[in-house]
Amino acid sequence: MGEKAIGADRGNIIASPSKDDPDYFYTWTRDSALTAKVLIDSFIAGDTSLKPQIEDYVSAQAILQTVSNPSGDLSDGSGLGEPKFEANSTAFTGPWGRPQRDGPALRATALIAFSRWLSLNGEEYRVASKIWPIISNDLNYLGEYWNRTGFDLWEEVDGSSFFTLAVQHRALVEGEAFAEQIGKTCVACKSQAPEVLCFLQSFWNDGFIFSNINDQSSRNGRDTNSILASIHTFDPDAGCDDLTFQPCSSRALANHKAVTDSFRSLYAINSGRPYGAAVAVGRYTEDVYYGGNPWYLATLAAAEQLYDAMYQIQRLGSLIIDTTSLPFFRDLDLSIAIGTYPASSAVYSNITLAMRRYADDYVSVVQEYTPAGGRLAEQYSRTDGSPVSAVDLTWSYASFLTATDRRNSVVPASWGVSNASTPPAVCSGTSEPGTYAPAPIDCTSNVSTVAVTFNVREPTIYGETVFVSGSIAGLGNWDTSRGLELHASGTAGALAAGESFEYKYYKTGTDGVTVIYEGGANRVYTVPEGCARNVVQIDAWQE
C-alpha cells in the first residue's frame, strides 16, 4: 500500500520500504494486522476515504491464507503461522523464526472490527460469505495451535509468549460473540478461550509479567512484549481487571514500572532521568539487534498504556491503589498510600494529572529524537538518539497514531472483557481441532495467468540440478529437455488460471545427462483462479 510500496501486490502492507540493511520489504501478518486495525478504527470513526484500502487488505489476506510456505499450508491450518511473505504474495522461503502464532489472532481482531461495521450497514451477506471464512480459518488456527510453542513477536525466542497468548485470548472471546451475531458458530472460541486465560496467569511473576516462558533464553523477563499486550487487549468498557491485565489494573501498572525502569540506566540518552520521569524504551535489556537501542513503537506503547489506564480510571470514577500498584504510584507521589480515592478527592485529581504528564513525557521523548520531517525509523540510538535500522517503519507510524488517539480519548469498541468466561481452577493444555478452507476472494477482475513458483525440499550434491516437468506445455509436456530448472528460491512458471495438470520433480546427475525422477505417483495441481498473480507450491521429494 502507498507510494513507498511500489512492487507490492495490492492490499499488502509492507513493514518498511527498506530493502537493504535491513531488508524489511515484506508483508508481515502481525504488522499488517496491527496497521489495518488502525485504518479500520479510523474508518469506523468517520474517515470513509479509507474503505478502498481496507477492502484491498481483506482481499490480500484471503490470498495469503492459501499460500503454501515453510510453516505448512491451509489444509491443516499450519501455514497460517507463517510470519511474513514476499511483497508479491509468494512465500518467503529463507530461514526465519517460525511459526509465529500472533498474526492470525491480530488479523481476526481487525477483520471482526471491520465486519461489525459492514453488518450494521447492510452488508451482512458479504460478511458471512466473503470475510467470515477468513476469520474462521484464523479462529480455528488459534483453537488448534494456541498451546504449542512458537516464536515471539520479536521473532527471536521459541517458547510461550505473553503477547501472543493475550491477543489470542482476545480474538477467541470476540470471535465467539461475533460468530453468534452473524449466525455462525466458533466451537474453538468457546472451549479454548478460558484455557488460554488460565495459562496467561502463569506469566505473572511477583511484580511484573515474565514475557516469555517455556523457552531456552536466559533473559530477565522484563520485555515491552507485555506492555504491547496490554494496549492491544485494552477494552474501554472494562474495569481495572487483573485477569486480563487491563492497562489500569494493578498488575499492568506494576509491570509498566518494572519494564520501563529496566531501561532507565541502560541507555546513555536516559542519563539524569529520575524515577517518575519518562525514559527511552527498548524491547528488552539484553537486546543486541543493531546495538540494542530504544524503539519508537516501544516508547509510544509506554505512553499509550498510561492514556488507556486514565481512560478506564475516569470511567470508573475512582482510583484504587493496592500493594501491587503502590510502587508505580509512589513514583508519581511519594506520599501516596493504599486506598480508594473517589474522583472528587484531591488525591485523585493530583494523581491523574501526574499520570497525564508522565504519559505525555514519553511522547516528548519520541518527539525529541524524531528527525526534522517526522520520519520514524524502527529504532533510535541509545547514545545520541539518531535514527537506526529500517526507515519509515509502518508499525512506528501506527503506534504514533494510536497513542495520539488514546491521548484524545478516541478509543476502539469494546471486545467483550465482561463477557469472557472465567478461567478454570486448574489449567489444561487442550486444543480444538479445526477445519480450514480457502476464502472467496473479492477482486475487481480475475487474472488469466498465474506465476506458480515450484520449490522442492531435496538435498543435492555439487553438479546435480533439480527440475520440474509435467503434463502441460508450460512444464515441457514431460520432455526432460524442456523442464523448468529449479533455483534456491524456486522457479516460477506462468500458467493459465484454472488449469489442472500432473507434475513431478527430477534431477540430472553430475554428468548433466542422467535423469533421476523422484518416486511415488504423479503429483496433481490446479492453478488457482481469482486475484492471485503469484502462488508458491512447496513439496518434499518423494522417495
Side-chain angles (χ1 to χ4, degrees):
M1 287 186 176
E3 64 180 20
K4 295 189 176 182
I6 303 301
D9 273 2
R10 188 171 182 172
N12 284 344
I13 299 174
I14 302 305
S16 163
S18 175
K19 295 183 179 180
D20 180 60
D21 193 25
D23 183 1
Y24 279 15
F25 199 74
Y26 298 94
T27 181
W28 267 265
T29 305
R30 170 185 50 254
D31 300 37
S32 297
L34 290 170
T35 303
K37 182 61 163 58
V38 176
L39 299 179
I40 290 164
D41 287 343
S42 296
F43 166 73
I44 293 170
D47 188 350
T48 56
S49 68
L50 293 171
K51 192 177 184 186
Q53 287 76 25
I54 298 168
E55 301 278 13
D56 287 343
Y57 168 76
V58 174
S59 296
Q61 298 316 297
I63 293 169
L64 290 174
Q65 282 193 340
T66 67
V67 176
S68 298
N69 56 69
S71 293
D73 56 36
L74 188 60
S75 62
D76 62 356
S78 57
L80 299 176
E82 182 67 8
K84 71 176 185 177
F85 295 84
E86 299 283 355
N88 66 0
S89 303
T90 60
F92 169 73
T93 58
W96 207 253
R98 55 170 65 93
Q100 295 175 29
R101 308 191 194 279
D102 54 355
L106 294 164
R107 178 167 55 199
T109 284
L111 294 183
I112 286 171
F114 185 47
S115 296
R116 280 183 176 142
W117 185 92
L118 293 174
S119 296
L120 293 172
N121 287 273
E123 297 193 53
E124 299 94 335
Y125 175 78
R126 178 162 172 263
V127 167
S129 62
K130 299 293 181 69
I131 306 181
W132 171 252
I134 307 173
I135 298 170
S136 179
N137 284 334
D138 284 339
L139 295 177
N140 284 335
Y141 177 86
L142 303 182
E144 183 165 1
Y145 293 98
W146 73 267
N147 65 348
R148 301 191 193 186
T149 58
F151 281 82
D152 69 338
L153 78 168
W154 308 133
E155 308 185 305
E156 297 168 342
V157 174
D158 187 6
S160 300
S161 161
F162 181 79
F163 176 85
T164 298
L165 285 151
V167 297
Q168 287 176 336
H169 174 253
R170 170 184 174 160
L172 290 169
V173 170
E174 61 187 343
E176 180 183 1
F178 180 66
E180 183 177 344
Q181 176 188 331
I182 63 171
K184 303 291 185 178
T185 58
C186 179
V187 175
C189 297
K190 188 175 184 64
S191 66
Q192 300 307 301
E195 294 295 346
V196 179
L197 184 58
C198 187
F199 186 41
L200 271 175
Q201 310 314 307
S202 60
F203 288 82
W204 180 246
N205 187 55
D206 190 27
F208 70 96
I209 297 164
F210 207 100
S211 289
N212 294 292
I213 61 176
N214 299 327
D215 63 287
Q216 301 301 312
S217 74
S218 56
R219 298 178 186 172
N220 64 36
R222 297 167 178 84
D223 190 315
T224 307
N225 164 328
S226 54
I227 293 178
L228 288 164
S230 184
I231 65 174
H232 289 297
T233 57
F234 163 56
D235 187 327
D237 290 350
C240 300
D241 178 43
D242 267 338
L243 279 178
T244 56
F245 298 86
Q246 286 299 300
C248 70
S249 68
S250 295
R251 285 177 169 183
L253 291 174
N255 179 73
H256 185 284
K257 173 177 168 57
V259 173
T260 56
D261 279 355
S262 69
F263 299 102
R264 198 165 292 278
S265 61
L266 185 67
Y267 304 142
I269 60 173
N270 285 339
S271 177
R273 297 180 185 267
Y275 289 96
V279 293
V281 179
R283 300 190 299 174
Y284 51 91
T285 57
E286 301 90 347
D287 192 6
V288 296
Y289 182 59
Y290 276 83
N293 300 292
W295 285 41
Y296 291 104
L297 70 89
T299 309
L300 288 165
E304 186 171 337
Q305 184 192 330
L306 299 179
Y307 293 135
D308 291 346
M310 286 186 291
Y311 183 91
Q312 292 175 317
I313 290 168
Q314 287 164 359
R315 285 192 82 250
L316 289 171
S318 64
L319 173 67
I320 301 173
I321 300 176
D322 59 18
T323 54
T324 301
S325 61
L326 183 62
F328 170 85
F329 287 108
R330 281 273 170 91
D331 279 349
L332 305 179
D333 182 349
L334 281 173
S335 65
I336 198 74
I338 292 171
T340 299
Y341 302 93
S344 58
S345 67
V347 170
Y348 177 97
S349 298
N350 292 337
I351 287 293
T352 52
L353 178 61
M355 284 183 70
R356 172 80 171 199
R357 289 172 176 165
Y358 187 30
D360 286 348
D361 201 11
Y362 281 102
V363 178
S364 295
V365 171
V366 170
Q367 182 179 23
E368 180 179 355
Y369 297 115
T370 297
R375 297 178 65 183
L376 295 177
E378 179 181 66
Q379 307 171 35
Y380 51 107
S381 168
R382 63 194 292 162
T383 56
D384 63 14
S386 58
V388 177
S389 187
V391 299
D392 292 316
L393 191 77
T394 306
W395 194 356
S396 293
Y397 292 120
S399 297
F400 176 77
L401 291 173
T402 54
T404 302
D405 277 349
R406 302 305 174 264
R407 185 181 189 276
N408 295 325
S409 296
V410 177
V411 298
S414 168
W415 57 267
V417 164
S418 60
N419 298 324
S421 299
T422 56
V426 178
C427 301
S428 299
T430 59
S431 67
E432 187 73 48
T435 56
Y436 309 90
I441 298 170
D442 268 343
C443 59
T444 55
S445 61
N446 292 344
V447 298
S448 58
T449 60
V450 179
V452 180
T453 299
F454 293 91
N455 203 316
V456 64
R457 300 185 184 98
E458 169 61 2
T460 58
I461 62 175
Y462 182 76
E464 288 185 328
T465 306
V466 180
F467 296 82
V468 60
S469 185
S471 60
I472 56 174
L475 295 180
N477 284 324
W478 296 118
D479 183 346
T480 56
S481 68
R482 296 166 54 203
L484 292 180
E485 181 180 345
L486 269 64
H487 304 286
S489 59
T491 294
L495 306 178
E499 187 172 29
S500 295
F501 56 88
E502 295 184 347
Y503 71 102
K504 238 181 179 181
Y505 297 99
Y506 64 94
K507 294 188 288 189
T508 57
T510 55
D511 59 5
V513 176
T514 304
V515 173
I516 307 166
Y517 265 104
E518 65 172 337
N522 291 346
R523 303 174 187 271
V524 178
Y525 185 80
T526 299
V527 182
E529 297 178 276
C531 305
R533 292 179 172 82
N534 304 276
V535 297
V536 176
Q537 178 62 25
I538 300 177
D539 296 309
W541 184 272
Q542 298 177 145
E543 298 297 338

